[in-house]
Amino acid sequence: MSPLALVLILAAAVVHATWNLLAKRVGGGASFVWLFGALSALIYAPLAVAAIIIQRPQLGEVDLVFIVGSALLHIGYYLLLQRGYRVGDLSLVDPLARGTGPALATAAAIVFFGERPTPLALTGALIVVGGVFVLAGGGRRSGSGGGEAVAAGIMTGTVIAAYTLWDKHAVGVLLIPPLVLDWGTSLCRAALPAPVAYRRRADVRACWRKHRRAVLGVAALNPLSYILVLTALVFTPVSYVAPAREISILVGAVLGARLLGEGDARRRLAAAGVIVLGVVALALG
């Protein structure tokens, strides 16, 4: 993995863990997801327009299909993630989601994209999976959300793998600029559920009044973290980017344990450390 890709992924990991902490504190559902998606589209509109003017991407029907498809996958991801946060702890749900995703994405990249990671990288993938199982064992403990939280985390990881592969094709093959792709998905995430958001406008207004700062924080940081990842995906294989970006697992586990006071911190941090070791092996491989 190139130094530039590693820097992009490490920066994305810190930003990702920060917006997840804000999202966990809100604990919102569909109204929260729609609200920060709409605000993301608004905040990043000037940058996206500038990118379109400067880069002049040729966006045809296939490109638009991939933008809309990415939006649908991301809507599913956010809804599943918020469900997990409502029933489980940040330091359980986030590592499960982020640990399952790269393992599935690496396997799929080998099958569908013909990528050939080294034996060290494959060993790293196995270490990540092992760390996920250690962490998932905490779902039986009180306060962690039980099996429902574990199921939500694994389902979220499956969607992460799906949108990672989908978006890799979008930026790596179709050459859609990362900023334009992410802004397009934010726009779709605001437009597609708009009728539902209108019917729930009282909930949307209540979420805004109660969590204004957190909503703005997620709206600004969520696109930034993924734009950095998409930029790395332009010139780096999925089987390296998908696992390496999960260094955010360690950051998320620390934030959940230290700032949110979530229980069973020692075991969770140890499991997160194992996952990070796997990520390092994947990056070096």
Side-chain angles (χ1 to χ4, degrees):
M1 181 182 296
S2 70
L4 175 58
L6 187 58
V7 169
L8 289 170
I9 292 167
L10 290 176
V14 174
V15 177
H16 169 87
T18 303
W19 79 253
N20 269 269
L21 174 65
L22 294 174
K24 169 61 180 176
R25 283 176 164 170
V26 172
S31 297
F32 172 66
V33 171
W34 180 84
L35 187 56
F36 83 73
L39 287 172
S40 293
L42 182 63
I43 291 170
Y44 282 83
L47 294 175
V49 171
I52 292 172
I53 293 174
I54 295 172
Q55 296 180 274
R56 298 184 180 276
Q58 301 299 315
L59 300 177
E61 293 181 359
V62 174
D63 304 271
L64 296 178
V65 167
F66 266 80
I67 290 174
V68 174
S70 179
L72 292 173
L73 288 169
H74 279 82
I75 288 173
Y77 159 68
Y78 293 124
L79 291 176
L80 283 169
L81 188 66
Q82 285 302 302
R83 177 175 177 78
Y85 286 166
R86 287 197 300 273
V87 300
D89 292 343
L90 173 67
S91 52
L92 173 67
V93 175
D94 190 51
L96 273 175
R98 311 311 305 186
T100 305
L104 293 176
T106 298
I110 293 172
V111 174
F112 296 110
F113 292 167
E115 295 184 4
R116 293 295 179 265
T118 65
L120 178 60
L122 291 177
T123 301
L126 292 175
I127 293 174
V128 169
V129 173
V132 167
F133 278 114
V134 171
L135 189 64
R140 297 186 296 272
R141 297 173 181 260
S142 61
S144 65
E148 190 176 358
V150 172
I154 293 175
M155 289 174 64
T156 304
T158 302
V159 177
I160 289 172
Y163 77 60
T164 300
L165 296 167
W166 183 273
D167 292 346
K168 166 63 176 178
H169 186 82
V171 299
V173 178
L174 300 179
L175 301 181
I176 302 174
L179 177 57
V180 174
L181 174 63
D182 190 80
W183 179 71
T185 60
S186 294
L187 197 61
C188 291
R189 293 203 313 271
L192 294 176
V196 177
Y198 180 76
R199 289 197 297 270
R200 299 182 178 180
R201 55 190 179 277
D203 293 338
V204 173
R205 287 196 294 266
C207 181
W208 174 249
R209 286 195 302 269
K210 187 175 181 181
H211 303 291
R212 183 174 306 179
R213 291 184 179 180
V215 170
L216 285 171
V218 174
L221 296 177
N222 171 263
L224 175 59
S225 65
Y226 198 54
I227 289 169
L228 293 170
V229 171
L230 288 173
T231 303
L233 278 172
V234 171
F235 56 89
T236 310
V238 171
S239 54
Y240 291 86
V241 173
R245 65 179 292 210
E246 306 318 330
I247 195 70
S248 64
I249 292 170
L250 180 58
V251 182
V254 171
L255 291 177
R258 301 303 182 189
L259 299 183
L260 301 183
E262 296 176 351
D264 205 11
R266 183 175 299 178
R267 184 191 55 80
R268 291 181 178 184
L269 291 175
V274 171
I275 294 172
V276 169
L277 288 177
V279 169
V280 170
L282 278 156
L284 294 177

